[in-house]
Structures are given as C-alpha cells and as structure tokens.
Amino acid sequence: MSVPRDPLLRGLPCGMDVRIPLDQAVFGYSWQLADWTVQPGVLVVLGEGHQVGWVERGLDGGDGRVAVCEGYFLGDPVTLEARLHDTPEHAARTVHQSYLQNL
C-alpha cells in the first residue's frame, strides 16, 4: 500500500480546527495532534512547532490507525507491514519515537 499524500498537501482548508495537547510527561514540551473537522480521520502530529508526521484512520479497511513519518508507514521492519494502533495517541507515540531516533 502506498503512503497517502501529506495531509497538508491534500487541499484541506488552511489552519486546523482542533488541537489536542499530548501528555508532556510522555512527549515532552509542545507536542499535539491537530485536525480538521472536514476530515476527522487524519490527525497531524505537531512537535515543537512543526509537522513531524501524521496519524490516519481506516487505511487498513477497518478502524485501525497507522502512523506515518517522513513519508513512510511505521511498522514491522521484518514483515514491512504498517503497525495498527487503537488510539490516535498511541500512533502519535510511534511517530514521536521515530522522530527521536532520527534526530
């Protein structure tokens, strides 16, 4: 499955409607999920003021959420399958861990 285009390049409205702060004890300072009410299945992961990745629901045909960072689904390096997450926060945590490893 190919990675969908970056949510910020999909022609979605400028500015995000909702910003959900992520737990500072887990993520550190200034991490949040942001979304548009017109496309609630896509949540952009913002870290320290810029887009780090995004979380998208339903790409597996179900309710699972996948994490995308630097144009790649994050998942199992052996099977090359995207990891499914139960909540947007869990997927954002995967994006966060990938971001920290690539610093």
Side-chain angles (χ1 to χ4, degrees), residues 58-82:
L59 293 179
D60 63 336
D63 229 11
R65 290 164 176 86
V66 294
V68 180
C69 187
E70 295 186 8
Y72 294 97
F73 288 118
L74 301 178
D76 189 323
V78 175
T79 65
L80 300 178
E81 291 183 12

Side-chain angles (χ1 to χ4, degrees), residues 31-98:
W31 282 76
Q32 53 191 230
L33 288 170
D35 76 350
W36 302 266
T37 54
V38 296
Q39 192 166 354
V42 176
L43 297 166
V44 175
V45 180
L46 301 172
E48 302 169 5
H50 64 279
Q51 178 186 352
V52 176
W54 73 88
V55 172
E56 195 149 348
R57 185 184 72 218
L59 293 179
D60 63 336
D63 229 11
R65 290 164 176 86
V66 294
V68 180
C69 187
E70 295 186 8
Y72 294 97
F73 288 118
L74 301 178
D76 189 323
V78 175
T79 65
L80 300 178
E81 291 183 12
R83 181 174 167 201
L84 297 178
H85 302 81
D86 293 329
T87 68
E89 292 80 11
H90 286 144
R93 176 77 173 142
T94 300
V95 171
H96 179 255
Q97 289 171 337
S98 177

